[in-house]
Amino acid sequence: MIQINDLATYDHVTRRDLSREDLHSLVENFPALLWRIEIIRSRIEYLNRYMVAGLTDKTPLFLKSAEIRKKVVFQEDAILLDSFMEAMKRGKNAQTIVRIHCTGQATAWLKLVGWMPPKDVRYYMGYLMDVTDRIEVLKGMIEREAEMQLMIELSDMPVVLVDLDTKMVLSQNAAALQLFMYSADEFRSLRISDLFHHGMASVIHSLYEEILFARKWRGKALFERKAKSVFSAEASVLSLLFKDRRILRIALSNIETASSVDSPAALSPAAETQKDLRAQRENDLFNALEGQSELPAILETLFHCQLPSISFDAILFSDIHAKRNRVFVYSCGEPFASMAQGEMYSYEGTIAQDIERFKLDSLIVDDTIDSIKSIDWALFIPKGIRSYFAKPFYQRGVLKAVMILCSLRPNAFNSDDMDEYAILFEPFRRAIQAWRTAHQARRVSRHA
């Protein structure tokens, strides 16, 4: 036991700074791959030489190459990894666990953790750890739905799994039990609507709609404990496929006691009002495009439909002909005023190629100056475009068009604002189809 007169000495020992050699040894022998990203330069740096058993010499490429990740990560875990990479891109604290395929049909479990140091915002820090051994221990402790339970047990956040077809709770972690104050047995009899506050019916409906198309949903909502006390939280919902079963993984963060400001009476009508306004804007755009089949008029109409809280300086339409290695670009907006309509570019190195390669629902480039895509340096940077949002459109499974909103400012677009961008999606798709139909009819008429 330490005597009182030894406390000064003890305090000095425990607070001793590590030497450079000690720190180097600690980092080098840390049982995970430590890394940091220099945000301004979008450059990743590895701080030690740890190798994940399932990746071996490909370990350093796991965070660099989307192709490597696509090859090794389980398909049903890809959305978890995508969410982590998106959080990393935005400088948000995040963590996730995914499975990867190893040689000999073995499976390895990897844990990814990332955070923004509060005193040095130049870097985003993180580590990649092989937690397979820990998973194997947990597997032996869990009797039912072992792998499904492991999706949530290692999370520090409250997480609940729900069967998407029956809407019944399947499982939950210890943090969720503590938050909602139900027992494990009581949780098994709950439906997803029992977790949300009764005033959130429209939010749940919106969640289901977005899950069908985007496989994920994120938003603030009100929830209710067993004792009927209400709290608000940011809900991150992912749609997963587990043994042919569709599952919703609901993770909660930023949990706060609900105040009068966050009451259903204040939140729900506001959400409905925003939804109504978006629907009205979309309907107005349909009406404005009615009967139009010429591209200049179509793009001008779309350009003048500036979104409620997001302004853009130009809009582009990329007409994609991948098999012919051609992309024809049409534009509206001052930055592209001097560019000829229908200017042709090679498909190689374009936004469309990236979207196809990585199977993206959309693409946001925060700053073209940091880009390594050839199209950014050939088309956007010379026109002063610093950021853009791109949305692909398919016809019978083939990428045929990309709509691109451009800004002269960096970081002008955010994935959280997808509801606003969506106002343009269906009007754009229908208008471009009308143009193609009219264009084809003119060609037939000329050859008749």
Side-chain angles (χ1 to χ4, degrees), residues 173-398:
N173 63 2
L177 289 173
Q178 183 177 3
L179 176 63
F180 284 96
M181 300 179 178
Y182 288 101
S183 69
D185 288 336
E186 289 172 329
F187 245 110
R188 296 189 190 99
S189 64
L190 297 178
R191 298 176 62 85
I192 186 173
S193 56
D194 296 325
L195 302 179
F196 284 83
H197 188 276
H198 60 79
M200 295 287 101
S202 61
V203 172
I204 297 176
H205 180 72
S206 174
L207 183 158
Y208 289 150
E209 285 187 336
E210 192 162 336
I211 281 291
L212 286 175
F213 297 100
R215 295 181 60 195
K216 58 184 177 181
W217 180 88
R218 186 178 182 87
K220 187 175 182 181
L222 296 180
F223 298 85
E224 193 169 288
R225 298 182 176 92
K226 179 182 178 180
K228 303 303 180 184
S229 59
V230 180
F231 64 92
S232 66
E234 288 283 345
S236 179
V237 183
L238 302 175
S239 176
L240 307 171
L241 187 63
F242 179 77
K243 296 181 179 178
D244 297 324
R245 197 175 193 177
R246 296 189 303 165
I247 295 172
L248 296 183
R249 180 185 188 272
I250 306 173
L252 303 183
S253 60
N254 298 325
I255 298 162
E256 299 176 353
T257 301
S259 64
S260 58
V261 176
D262 293 327
S263 67
L267 275 182
S268 189
E272 288 297 318
T273 300
Q274 290 299 319
K275 188 175 181 180
D276 291 343
L277 286 174
R278 289 194 294 267
Q280 183 60 51
R281 277 180 170 268
E282 184 181 58
N283 189 59
D284 290 345
L285 187 52
F286 278 131
N287 292 335
L289 289 167
E290 183 69 32
Q292 294 189 23
S293 60
E294 298 295 332
L295 269 182
I298 289 171
L299 291 178
E300 185 172 357
T301 300
L302 290 164
F303 175 70
H304 287 298
C305 179
Q306 293 289 319
L307 302 173
S309 61
I310 306 158
S311 62
F312 48 95
D313 298 295
I315 185 170
L316 301 184
F317 157 48
S318 292
D319 188 19
I320 313 301
H321 300 267
K323 289 185 177 179
R324 295 164 57 193
N325 192 31
R326 293 179 180 178
V327 174
F328 299 92
V329 179
Y330 302 84
S331 64
C332 181
E334 183 60 32
F336 297 96
S338 61
M339 188 178 82
Q341 297 293 345
E343 189 164 316
M344 188 181 74
Y345 292 86
S346 169
Y347 174 75
E348 297 291 332
T350 60
I351 297 168
Q353 187 185 42
D354 275 358
I355 287 173
E356 278 279 80
R357 180 183 299 163
F358 303 123
K359 307 302 179 187
L360 304 175
D361 292 327
S362 61
L363 174 67
I364 291 176
V365 169
D366 293 324
D367 197 337
T368 54
I369 298 297
D370 295 332
S371 176
I372 58 174
K373 288 197 295 296
S374 58
I375 193 67
D376 288 351
W377 290 92
L379 176 61
F380 294 109
I381 292 174
K383 304 297 184 183
I385 300 302
R386 292 294 301 276
S387 60
Y388 58 78
F389 166 82
K391 173 67 179 177
F393 294 85
Y394 294 82
Q395 189 173 340
R396 291 187 287 275
V398 179

